[in-house]
Amino acid sequence: MAVLSRHQGTAYYPFPMQTHFTIKGIHHLFLRPEDSVDTGQTVVAFHGMGGTEHDLVPMVQKMSPFAAIISPRGTVLENGVTRFFKRLANNVFDERDLVQRGHAMADFLLQ
């Protein structure tokens, strides 16, 4: 997980409290805080192998109840299991893919 900061009170969200989006090919869940309790923080929650964008939301809501949450879904499907990057073998990461997808995730988060 990562915590991004925003300036308190400056965020404007023209969509419902919980929204699913696909931006730059990355499907994700966005949960915004209630306007009256917006702390200016955003938590980015990356699920584990085989998880979904919903897995860490309850934990994040307990840890940072007033933060916005961005929870992307891994874009790689390996044997029916979602991941954020490819592997060449068990515990052997495809480093080129890892770098490429890392840059794509950074671009997505900077939107």
Side-chain angles (χ1 to χ4, degrees):
M1 277 184 287
V3 177
L4 305 176
S5 88
R6 295 179 283 110
H7 295 288
Q8 187 171 354
T10 61
Y12 169 71
Y13 307 108
F15 35 81
M17 296 290 281
Q18 178 174 322
T19 309
H20 284 266
F21 286 111
T22 301
I23 297 175
K24 292 194 169 205
I26 297 176
H27 182 80
H28 65 284
L29 175 64
F30 179 79
L31 290 108
R32 68 178 178 89
E34 294 181 34
D35 294 334
S36 62
V37 296
D38 186 353
T39 63
Q41 288 187 323
T42 300
V43 175
V44 181
F46 295 97
H47 64 75
M49 185 176 82
T52 73
E53 64 275 17
H54 297 277
D55 291 354
L56 297 175
V57 169
M59 181 182 70
V60 172
Q61 288 175 322
K62 286 181 182 179
M63 290 173 51
S64 292
F66 306 120
I69 302 169
I70 298 173
S71 186
R73 182 188 307 159
T75 56
V76 174
L77 196 59
E78 180 182 294
N79 298 321
V81 173
T82 54
R83 302 178 54 85
F84 285 98
F85 48 87
K86 294 179 184 177
R87 295 187 303 177
L88 300 173
N90 193 26
N91 294 325
V92 180
F93 305 130
D94 181 335
E95 292 180 24
R96 183 174 296 174
D97 183 71
L98 179 60
V99 169
Q100 178 185 347
R101 291 179 193 277
H103 287 293
M105 185 61 69
D107 289 344
F108 160 74
L109 291 172
L110 293 173
Q111 285 292 318

